[in-house]
Amino acid sequence: MKSALFPGSFDPPSLGHLDILQRAASLCDTLYVGVAPHLGKQAHFSTDEKMEMLRRMTDHLPGVKVVAFNQLVVDFAKELGVNILVRGLRAFSDFEYEFRMALANRKMGGIETWFLMADPKLSYISSTLIRDVAKHGSRLGDFVPPVIEDQVFRRLSKK
Ligand code: ADP
């Protein structure tokens, strides 16, 4: 049984996240989607809201389990019995940070990281972009899955 952990802030989840997690789910038996704590950053959605949205958008994927964690990602992966992390790579901007994290996670916990290249049609999407677009009153159909669009728009456009 092969399992992997896709950790992230998901604040909010996007079509880019969904693409990575669908592709990763097809490569293993169980894919844990781990909602990470926001260290030093103000979260726009609570962990419960993010988990609920991720569950709704992955309803059709039986191998996906949405979980939350509060400790170092390597410690959480060990707790789950997982030794593979999944991350998405967008253009060059993600590379340096991801490279450092992957080396640190391998050093600290013997955990490998699988990198999936972002779909070029979705690679410009980020949670920051989604928050900015909604704040200015524009709809989010191009950026987030239809099942969570209303909820994300209603919440972010109020701020
Ligand atoms: P974090 O704060 O851990 O980077 P994010 O929610 O921003 O959390 O991202 C989680 C993962 O999803 C990261 O590996 C990121 O590169 C990837 N990701 C985010 N947006 C996209 C996208 N549009 N296409 C592919 N991967 C993405």
Side-chain angles (χ1 to χ4, degrees), residues 15-157:
L15 285 173
H17 292 131
L18 179 59
D19 177 57
I20 296 295
L21 73 85
Q22 280 179 155
R23 287 160 55 203
S26 75
L27 299 172
C28 49
D29 302 294
T30 304
L31 178 71
Y32 294 98
V33 180
V35 178
H38 262 255
L39 296 175
K41 282 197 265 176
Q42 169 84 45
H44 295 78
F45 292 86
S46 71
T47 298
D48 284 348
E49 283 173 307
K50 292 188 229 178
M51 290 176 73
E52 187 262 329
M53 289 191 283
L54 283 161
R55 286 200 177 110
R56 276 199 283 135
M57 63 195 246
T58 57
D59 237 11
H60 59 296
L61 299 168
V64 170
K65 292 192 166 73
V66 180
V67 289
F69 66 102
N70 248 317
Q71 62 272 64
L72 274 180
V73 72
V74 284
D75 293 336
F76 184 54
K78 277 193 197 150
E79 217 174 277
L80 292 172
V82 165
N83 58 10
I84 300 164
L85 298 181
V86 171
R87 297 285 288 176
L89 270 188
R90 289 163 295 185
F92 301 108
S93 48
D94 283 334
F95 184 77
E96 197 187 335
Y97 172 78
E98 294 293 345
F99 185 63
R100 273 190 280 120
M101 288 310 296
L103 292 180
N105 287 329
R106 195 158 59 130
K107 173 83 179 160
M108 287 190 294
I111 306 252
E112 290 290 356
T113 304
W114 283 350
F115 289 108
L116 301 187
M117 299 306 292
D119 179 329
K121 292 194 290 301
L122 304 172
S123 67
Y124 66 96
I125 299 174
S126 67
S127 298
T128 311
L129 173 82
I130 293 168
R131 296 197 297 265
D132 285 347
V133 169
K135 214 162 43 189
H136 291 95
S138 291
R139 298 297 306 190
L140 299 172
D142 288 337
F143 313 117
V144 303
V147 285
I148 63 167
E149 193 209 335
D150 273 348
Q151 180 177 356
V152 174
F153 180 76
R154 266 188 279 115
R155 164 59 86 81
L156 294 173
S157 57

